[in-house]
Amino acid sequence: MTDKTVLITGAGGGLGGATAELFAGRGWQVLAADLRPPRPAPNLIPLALDVTDSASVAAASKAAEEHAPGGIDAVVTFAGMMFTGPLVEVAEEDMRRIFEVNVLGTYRVVKAAFPLILRARGRVITISSETGWQKALMLNGPYAMTKHAIEAYSDALRRELMFLDIPVSTVQPGPFRTTMVEGIRATFDKAKQNSTYFAELIGKVGAMAEKENASANDPQILAEVVWRAATTARPRRRYSVKADLSRSLMHRLPDGLLDPLLKKLLAPR
């Protein structure tokens, strides 16, 4: 048992839920925040949180202080969403929503929790994606834009908080088994139905994404990396975890080779 406290957003399931369970099992007090938070369990305290609502974030921060008056030792920002679609066809409402959740949601939570982080001399762990450092690919533009933004946010935050001796680490997961990833087929099917110009491309890319999902990794692997980032004396700036090999290879190709290759592979027959 320890006297440590971690606030984890997106802890109602998926990667955030697996991480919350791991920390609670190892004796940390876990403030498990989500729109639909998990049930109470030993060392696990559910908090209702909508990261797109400033009032909800403020209320959750107040509740966190009641449970951890000495401060928070780590904040982990798993709350996120994804969808696919061509950028010239994506609805503005959908684009606004993904930025509200993935980017502004992270900003709101860290800003609200910062006094508690400072009080405990804690640390911040942002959750990006392999998409955050790789070249953006077709149909993944909205998600890639938000994760590239998280990378920039994390860099700037780290270079500010280092003057207060507060570490900031960024975790970049590759493919992991989650309900969000498992629903990828439905996401592509919806995009295909709503597309005027790219239906065939969406079908091909969707089939490829579904195959990638079949080899997705165990969430426990990622939870262990977050644990290491939260507990090591000298946390790394970035933790790339199980990046997809094919996507990593594509990232290393010059654009002058990659773009024609993708067009040749995916163009309508």
Side-chain angles (χ1 to χ4, degrees):
M1 299 294 291
T2 75
D3 58 356
K4 300 286 189 179
T5 297
V6 59
L7 169 63
I8 302 176
T9 69
L15 299 177
T19 302
E21 290 176 4
L22 184 144
F23 274 78
R26 294 180 181 176
W28 280 47
Q29 176 177 244
V30 178
L31 306 179
D34 208 324
L35 273 171
R36 292 178 290 276
R39 294 185 178 186
N43 297 328
L44 192 149
I45 300 167
L47 293 181
L49 173 64
D50 179 353
V51 299
T52 70
D53 183 339
S54 296
S56 175
V57 173
S61 182
K62 182 178 179 181
E65 184 170 19
E66 292 171 356
H67 291 291
I72 294 174
D73 298 280
V75 171
V76 188
T77 60
F78 271 106
M81 62 172 290
M82 71 173 295
F83 68 84
T84 59
L87 288 170
V88 295
E89 295 181 334
V90 166
E92 184 176 337
E93 179 182 350
D94 290 335
M95 186 68 84
R96 184 180 294 112
R97 175 68 179 174
I98 197 169
F99 271 86
E100 282 284 349
V101 175
N102 293 5
V103 182
L104 291 174
T106 296
Y107 150 79
R108 288 186 188 102
V109 168
V110 174
K111 182 179 180 182
F114 179 69
L116 292 174
I117 300 168
L118 185 61
R119 190 178 302 173
R121 312 307 298 180
R123 60 188 66 181
V124 177
I125 302 169
T126 60
I127 304 300
S128 178
S129 165
E130 63 176 351
T131 306
W133 61 265
Q134 294 167 352
K135 295 174 181 176
L137 296 177
M138 55 280 146
L139 308 179
N140 200 29
Y143 184 72
M145 290 164 68
T146 65
K147 291 305 182 180
H148 278 252
I150 287 295
E151 293 285 335
Y153 166 82
S154 302
D155 282 341
L157 184 70
R158 185 181 70 251
R159 289 170 181 145
E160 292 165 0
L161 298 192
M162 69 182 182
F163 292 100
L164 301 175
D165 296 323
I166 293 176
V168 176
S169 297
T170 305
V171 177
Q172 303 162 320
F176 282 86
R177 291 194 299 273
T178 68
T179 53
M180 184 169 69
V181 173
E182 288 168 359
I184 195 71
R185 188 67 199 181
T187 301
F188 274 96
D189 286 345
K190 181 180 178 181
K192 185 176 181 179
Q193 291 169 6
N194 295 333
S195 180
T196 302
Y197 306 104
F198 302 100
E200 187 172 344
L201 175 65
I202 293 169
K204 290 181 178 180
V205 176
M208 292 168 59
E210 201 167 24
K211 288 181 180 178
E212 289 178 7
N213 183 40
S215 59
N217 298 286
D218 186 341
Q220 287 298 124
I221 297 171
L222 188 70
E224 289 285 355
V225 173
V226 176
W227 170 263
R228 192 156 65 247
T231 57
T232 187
R234 299 183 66 182
R236 290 161 49 184
R237 294 174 181 85
R238 285 180 172 81
Y239 294 83
S240 178
V241 192
K242 298 291 185 180
D244 180 78
L245 179 59
S246 61
R247 289 177 181 265
S248 298
L249 290 174
M250 282 191 287
H251 173 75
R252 288 173 171 79
L253 285 177
D255 291 342
L257 292 178
L258 178 60
D259 291 359
L261 176 62
L262 290 172
K263 186 174 182 180
K264 182 177 181 180
L265 291 173
L266 298 171
R269 300 296 180 187

